[in-house]
Amino acid sequence: MNQKKIIKQSFQVNFDFNLIFTSKLFETDNNILVDLLSSNSTSKTKAIVVVDTGVIDSHPQLKEDIDNYFKQYNDSITLEGSVLEIPGGEQSKNDETFIQSILENINTFGIDRHSYVIAIGGGAVLDAVGFAAAIAHRGVRLIRIPTTVLSQNDSGIGVKNGINYFGKKNFAGSFAVPFAVINDDSFLSTLHERDWRSGISEAIKVALIKDYSFFEWIESKVSDLNNRDKDAMNELIYRCADLHMKHIQNSGDAFEQGSSRPLDFGHWAAHKLEQLSNFEVRHGEAVAIGIALDSTYSYLKGYLSKPELVRVLDCIIGLGFNISYHQMNEQIIKGLEEFREHLGGKLTIMLLKSLGTGFEVHEMDKNIVLESINYISSYHSKKIAI
Amino acid sequence: MNQKKIIKQSFQVNFDFNLIFTSKLFETDNNILVDLLSSNSTSKTKAIVVVDTGVIDSHPQLKEDIDNYFKQYNDSITLEGSVLEIPGGEQSKNDETFIQSILENINTFGIDRHSYVIAIGGGAVLDAVGFAAAIAHRGVRLIRIPTTVLSQNDSGIGVKNGINYFGKKNFAGSFAVPFAVINDDSFLSTLHERDWRSGISEAIKVALIKDYSFFEWIESKVSDLNNRDKDAMNELIYRCADLHMKHIQNSGDAFEQGSSRPLDFGHWAAHKLEQLSNFEVRHGEAVAIGIALDSTYSYLKGYLSKPELVRVLDCIIGLGFNISYHQMNEQIIKGLEEFREHLGGKLTIMLLKSLGTGFEVHEMDKNIVLESINYISSYHSKKIAI
């Protein structure tokens, strides 16, 4: 009656990009980057580079390597300005001045929608640079070069970016598809032990909800991974990345317009634990605990058998994760509502019905959550005592 | 050789929304907005409202109407906080504090990805609010209520938002699809004459490149439009909006990943003229001149016949547009390179091969552009003299 006319709009947008695996990306005989940068352009193209300070600290020759690399291929690409460094970790996402300086470089060097921003670093730096690249000119081309296990197998290969605002993690951000992602395994060798281990929990997570054979494989590689076997880690990253990317491809909701977020198995408690610990517990470490918690909950609710739960907990503990923190207490329960709020809509939590098969529920029994917390804490103590 | 493995990612994202035409949206018996806000939710939902100060000035009762409307429907929706006012025009896009205050309201009132930001105003205000809504939580639901001819038939119904940065128009922004757009024709009656006229040029533009019968219709309605006939304007807005939306739907490049931007016929010169005049010449006015210029260029290059050109120029002049500004000089030429830079890639300009049919070229002959400037200026003088 009040509606006089209506025009229905409906369209699809296609997105594609490659995740390329390599070693020693900036050695001058490695043509992957130059091929990529000149693949989509008839004329000479330009790029700016932003690097995580932590990566420079571990690879002091990196800036020189980058300079030499671009000099070598100066016919087809120009490196504009010098490499911009921004600090790694949440600092890069908390302090707006870093976003500001990336935008300034994009402006100063005339980076347009057909030129490139190349980001090298851990997940936080990729998130911050990705956000700046996504909003400049409504999106300039972004090449992500993740340097940690976590960013190479999960956070760096997806379609999200973000910065913290009002003290809230990822309050501002967008869904933006990178032009390409390059995983260079030479960055992994210098990782500190905690960073080497951290990212493994995302592989356990995706294996448990989607791929039993991958979980079996991880179980079989616990000691290789603990001994920093490069081949085992490369395989773990590849399979984990592949499962994540296939999920985005097949979910039908790549930009998360609904309430369901299956890849966030174990994450509701993880986010809260990170916050309660003032980010002393890192994301991957928190996810390991979140997985232990929601697997135990799945067992206590009768979905998962005891032998299955034992395999999950033993795998996590075997990889050296600590699953007993003093911040793991009833405060964690608040994470449920915050998780719902962040995504909006209905609470949707992934649980396990068997190893390799997840399913969703829309409420959690708080008493059983508390029971699960006690269960994993005492399980861990007994293990340690052995 | 250097590439060890590759994972190819490829997926589609579906977007849809409705453009609803109505009158007197905030009268309490108009259920369009409440139906829309409660359509996608099982529980009570919430919204914040941001309004263009210029709209409040012309409709002093609007804030009270909005309050009463939400009180009436308090069972299904909550209006959070009071209506936030931000100034109209480029000011809303130039001053970051407005974005900041919108983000603050989103945060304070817990607007999540399933709650709503309702923006009421001209294109600039919709752009600024749209940007804030797009980056908060990676996108909260945005309802756009455009209040000018230009925003109801073009800028408010598309998928872009943006703010100015580094003194550059739309330097920061994103492609983000609104939850819905509502065109309420009661806002049009109070428009100043310049704003009433301004948006008509976008209708001429899209008619000339896509729909000859619509151009004929506009020619037939020149005097009705000049006399502010409401039915004629409603029809013009509907047909123009429909052509714009169908273009986005069928272009295959809704998020402008390529270099072509067919809807920007006449816009390369328009953007430059706006800037040269310090935005004294408004967007729609500048577009009218840009259309005159590129139509004349099409004639001088032999694509368009003289009678066809005369019809275009007479229609524009007949609608009361001024096509002779002292800023229309050789400085305009710089707009070509700036236009290319903004989108990136190859220069791509739409010209006319007949009335209703556009085609693209990748270079412009500067001498003929200058000749076209002189042509329209002397054509206009002669017309005025008659």
Side-chain angles (χ1 to χ4, degrees):
Chain A
M1 187 185 62
N2 298 300
Q3 178 180 305
K4 295 173 162 176
K5 279 180 175 177
I6 189 165
I7 301 177
K8 291 180 185 288
Q9 177 64 298
S10 176
F11 60 89
Q12 274 192 343
V13 181
N14 296 316
F15 298 99
D16 47 77
F17 68 93
N18 290 337
L19 166 60
I20 302 161
F21 294 81
T22 189
S23 244
K24 298 177 182 162
L25 180 66
F26 291 105
E27 288 207 348
T28 47
D29 63 352
N30 189 325
N31 56 347
I32 285 181
L33 188 61
V34 62
D35 285 355
L36 194 62
L37 294 175
S38 44
S39 64
N40 233 297
S41 179
T42 46
S43 55
K44 194 171 172 181
T45 186
K46 53 191 180 177
I48 61 169
V49 176
V50 188
V51 187
D52 191 322
T53 307
V55 175
I56 305 255
D57 291 346
S58 301
H59 301 266
Q61 82 302 344
L62 180 63
K63 283 165 82 166
E64 207 183 313
D65 288 352
I66 293 172
D67 278 336
N68 288 335
Y69 187 86
F70 280 91
K71 268 183 203 138
Q72 165 98 355
Y73 295 108
N74 191 41
D75 285 349
S76 38
I77 44 172
T78 307
L79 172 64
E80 296 285 347
S82 52
V83 166
L84 178 67
E85 286 184 49
I86 68 171
E90 291 300 304
Q91 206 187 330
S92 61
K93 298 174 68 170
N94 283 331
D95 184 343
E96 262 188 278
T97 58
F98 299 118
I99 294 289
Q100 182 70 26
S101 60
I102 300 160
L103 289 174
E104 261 162 29
N105 277 18
I106 290 172
N107 183 44
T108 305
F109 298 114
I111 299 299
D112 64 26
R113 271 148 75 175
H114 292 231
S115 341
Y116 299 86
V117 172
I118 299 171
I120 305 171
V125 166
L126 299 183
D127 268 0
V129 182
F131 182 59
I135 65 173
H137 300 300
R138 300 196 184 101
V140 300
R141 291 177 177 170
L142 173 70
I143 310 250
R144 291 206 201 121
I145 303 174
T147 57
T148 61
V149 175
L150 184 63
S151 55
Q152 290 197 357
N153 73 5
D154 180 0
S155 65
I157 59 166
V159 296
K160 300 190 216 179
N161 59 57
I163 57 170
N164 308 332
Y165 217 68
F166 304 121
K168 291 189 180 167
K169 196 163 165 161
N170 295 326
F171 180 86
S174 74
F175 292 93
V177 179
F179 187 80
V181 184
I182 306 172
N183 276 353
D184 177 347
D185 67 5
S186 41
F187 288 113
L188 303 177
S189 59
T190 55
L191 290 177
H192 297 296
E193 199 193 333
R194 280 181 77 180
D195 290 318
W196 172 274
R197 182 186 302 114
S198 275
I200 299 175
S201 55
E202 297 286 356
I204 301 172
K205 170 204 76 178
V206 75
L208 284 175
I209 59 175
K210 286 183 179 283
D211 184 348
Y212 175 65
S213 71
F214 184 34
F215 180 71
E216 274 189 306
W217 180 91
I218 296 171
E219 284 181 307
S220 75
K221 295 291 177 182
V222 164
S223 80
D224 287 344
L225 291 166
N226 288 340
N227 293 326
R228 298 190 68 141
D229 180 276
K230 205 168 168 171
D231 290 339
M233 185 55 95
N234 277 341
E235 176 76 7
L236 176 127
I237 288 172
Y238 179 86
R239 291 180 74 166
C240 180
D242 194 44
L243 285 164
H244 275 99
M245 287 172 75
K246 286 212 169 71
H247 174 81
I248 292 171
Q249 192 173 109
N250 300 323
S251 67
D253 189 22
F255 288 179
E256 297 173 3
Q257 296 173 59
S259 293
S260 166
R261 199 149 63 166
L263 290 179
D264 274 0
F265 173 55
H267 277 55
W268 71 267
H271 290 312
K272 190 66 193 172
L273 179 59
E274 281 179 86
Q275 189 203 76
L276 287 173
S277 76
N278 256 321
F279 296 93
E280 237 178 65
V281 180
R282 297 191 191 170
H283 182 68
E285 295 165 345
V287 167
I289 297 165
I291 294 169
L293 183 69
D294 285 349
S295 300
T296 304
Y297 183 94
S298 300
Y299 159 65
L300 293 175
K301 287 287 278 186
Y303 306 123
L304 209 62
S305 72
K306 186 153 186 183
E308 287 176 311
L309 174 66
V310 167
R311 284 175 67 183
V312 174
L313 298 180
D314 286 358
C315 179
I316 293 171
I317 294 168
L319 284 160
F321 286 104
N322 184 357
I323 57 172
S324 168
Y325 285 90
H326 72 273
Q327 293 98 344
M328 271 304 278
N329 54 36
E330 67 284 353
Q331 293 288 321
I332 289 290
I333 300 282
K334 287 189 189 152
L336 278 171
E337 175 54 17
E338 289 173 17
F339 186 72
R340 190 205 62 74
E341 256 179 24
H342 178 65
L343 197 56
K346 202 171 172 185
L347 178 71
T348 305
I349 297 285
M350 182 66 98
L351 295 177
L352 298 181
K353 72 169 128 189
S354 67
L355 302 182
T357 312
F359 75 105
E360 288 180 337
V361 297
H362 297 290
E363 57 182 345
M364 295 279 275
D365 181 326
K366 285 170 194 174
N367 290 323
I368 300 185
V369 173
L370 293 174
E371 206 182 323
S372 305
I373 291 173
N374 292 333
Y375 190 99
I376 55 172
S377 154
S378 88
Y379 190 91
H380 195 221
S381 311
K382 275 183 236 154
K383 273 276 156 184
I384 300 278
I386 290 166
Chain B
M1 187 184 65
N2 297 300
Q3 177 179 305
K4 294 175 164 174
K5 279 180 176 176
I6 189 165
I7 300 177
K8 290 180 185 289
Q9 178 64 297
S10 177
F11 59 90
Q12 284 92 36
V13 180
N14 295 314
F15 297 99
D16 47 77
F17 68 92
N18 290 336
L19 166 59
I20 302 161
F21 294 80
T22 189
S23 245
K24 299 179 182 160
L25 180 66
F26 291 106
E27 288 206 347
T28 47
D29 63 351
N30 189 326
N31 57 346
I32 285 182
L33 188 60
V34 62
D35 285 354
L36 194 62
L37 294 174
S38 44
S39 64
N40 232 298
S41 179
T42 46
S43 54
K44 194 171 171 181
T45 186
K46 53 191 179 177
I48 60 169
V49 176
V50 188
V51 187
D52 191 322
T53 307
V55 175
I56 305 256
D57 290 345
S58 302
H59 301 265
Q61 82 301 345
L62 181 63
K63 284 166 82 166
E64 208 183 311
D65 288 351
I66 293 173
D67 278 335
N68 288 336
Y69 188 87
F70 281 91
K71 268 181 205 142
Q72 165 97 356
Y73 295 109
N74 190 43
D75 285 349
S76 38
I77 43 171
T78 308
L79 172 64
E80 296 284 348
S82 52
V83 166
L84 179 67
E85 286 184 51
I86 68 172
E90 291 300 306
Q91 204 188 332
S92 60
K93 297 173 68 171
N94 283 329
D95 184 343
E96 262 187 279
T97 57
F98 299 118
I99 294 289
Q100 182 71 27
S101 61
I102 301 161
L103 289 174
E104 261 162 30
N105 277 18
I106 290 172
N107 182 46
T108 305
F109 298 114
I111 298 299
D112 64 26
R113 274 148 74 174
H114 292 232
S115 347
Y116 299 85
V117 173
I118 299 171
I120 305 171
V125 165
L126 299 183
D127 268 359
V129 182
F131 182 60
I135 64 173
H137 301 299
R138 299 194 184 102
V140 299
R141 292 176 177 171
L142 173 71
I143 310 250
R144 291 206 201 122
I145 303 174
T147 56
T148 61
V149 176
L150 183 63
S151 55
Q152 290 197 356
N153 73 5
D154 179 0
S155 65
I157 59 167
V159 296
K160 300 190 215 178
N161 59 55
I163 57 170
N164 307 331
Y165 218 68
F166 304 122
K168 291 189 178 165
K169 196 163 163 160
N170 295 326
F171 181 87
S174 75
F175 292 93
V177 179
F179 186 81
V181 184
I182 305 172
N183 277 353
D184 178 347
D185 66 5
S186 41
F187 288 113
L188 303 177
S189 59
T190 56
L191 290 177
H192 297 297
E193 200 194 332
R194 281 181 77 180
D195 290 318
W196 172 273
R197 183 186 300 114
S198 275
I200 299 175
S201 54
E202 297 286 357
I204 301 172
K205 171 205 76 179
V206 74
L208 285 174
I209 60 173
K210 286 183 178 282
D211 185 347
Y212 175 66
S213 71
F214 184 34
F215 179 72
E216 274 188 307
W217 180 91
I218 297 172
E219 282 181 308
S220 76
K221 297 289 178 184
V222 164
S223 79
D224 287 343
L225 291 166
N226 287 340
N227 293 326
R228 299 190 69 142
D229 181 276
K230 206 168 168 170
D231 290 339
M233 185 55 97
N234 277 341
E235 177 76 7
L236 177 127
I237 288 172
Y238 179 85
R239 291 180 73 166
C240 180
D242 194 44
L243 285 165
H244 275 99
M245 288 173 74
K246 287 214 169 68
H247 174 82
I248 292 171
Q249 191 174 109
N250 300 323
S251 66
D253 190 22
F255 287 0
E256 296 174 4
Q257 297 172 57
S259 292
S260 167
R261 200 147 65 164
L263 290 178
D264 274 0
F265 173 56
H267 278 55
W268 71 268
H271 289 312
K272 189 66 194 171
L273 179 60
E274 282 179 86
Q275 189 202 77
L276 287 173
S277 75
N278 256 322
F279 296 93
E280 239 178 61
V281 180
R282 298 193 191 168
H283 181 68
E285 294 165 347
V287 167
I289 296 166
I291 294 170
L293 183 69
D294 286 349
S295 300
T296 305
Y297 183 93
S298 301
Y299 158 65
L300 292 174
K301 287 288 278 185
Y303 305 122
L304 209 62
S305 72
K306 187 153 184 182
E308 287 176 310
L309 175 65
V310 167
R311 284 175 66 183
V312 174
L313 299 180
D314 286 358
C315 180
I316 293 171
I317 294 168
L319 283 161
F321 287 105
N322 184 358
I323 58 173
S324 167
Y325 285 92
H326 72 273
Q327 294 97 344
M328 270 305 278
N329 55 35
E330 67 285 352
Q331 294 287 321
I332 290 289
I333 300 282
K334 287 188 189 153
L336 279 172
E337 175 55 16
E338 289 172 16
F339 186 72
R340 190 205 62 75
E341 256 180 22
H342 179 65
L343 196 56
K346 204 171 171 185
L347 178 70
T348 305
I349 298 283
M350 182 65 97
L351 295 178
L352 299 181
K353 70 168 129 190
S354 67
L355 302 182
T357 313
F359 74 105
E360 288 181 337
V361 297
H362 297 289
E363 57 181 344
M364 296 277 275
D365 181 327
K366 284 169 195 174
N367 290 322
I368 299 184
V369 173
L370 293 175
E371 207 182 323
S372 305
I373 291 173
N374 292 333
Y375 189 100
I376 53 172
S377 154
S378 87
Y379 189 90
H380 196 221
S381 312
K382 274 182 240 157
K383 274 275 157 187
I384 301 279
I386 289 166

